[in-house]
Amino acid sequence: HGAHNRFHLAEIFGTVMKVDLAEEDFRPPKSYIARSFPFEGSYVVVHVGASEAHKRLHSVQWVDLLGRLLQRYRGKVVLIGSS
């Protein structure tokens, strides 16, 4: 598949600040995991934000996309991000 060109945001910040990151720097605190996401069972997370205008969807497009998703997937859908 070739070389990967993705970087974790923490890696970029660490490089800029000249900090060596440890493996635990990439994990959320255990207390955060335990109380911040109260959903049980299967779910799909959809990030609705976009960094550039041409990548954004209009509300009608979101309704269509989420409707099609819910027809195919019988679980919970969680929307995150900002639009």
Side-chain angles (χ1 to χ4, degrees), residues 2 4-6 12 21-23 27 30 33 35 37 43 45-46 50-51 53 57 60 65-66 68-69:
H4 297 284
N5 66 353
R6 296 184 180 246
I12 295 170
L21 299 172
E23 187 65 32
R27 290 187 217 120
K30 289 179 185 174
I33 294 171
R35 64 183 162 80
F37 203 74
Y43 54 88
V45 177
V46 179
S51 59
L57 296 179
V60 173
L65 177 66
L66 294 171
R68 286 186 283 135
L69 176 65

Side-chain angles (χ1 to χ4, degrees), residues 20-63:
D20 292 324
L21 299 172
E23 187 65 32
E24 64 262 12
D25 293 326
F26 294 90
R27 290 187 217 120
K30 289 179 185 174
S31 62
Y32 180 80
I33 294 171
R35 64 183 162 80
S36 64
F37 203 74
F39 301 104
E40 295 181 16
S42 298
Y43 54 88
V44 172
V45 177
V46 179
H47 190 284
V48 298
S51 59
E52 300 174 28
H54 72 278
K55 295 180 181 180
R56 295 183 187 129
L57 296 179
H58 295 285
S59 59
V60 173
Q61 293 170 300
W62 277 115
V63 169

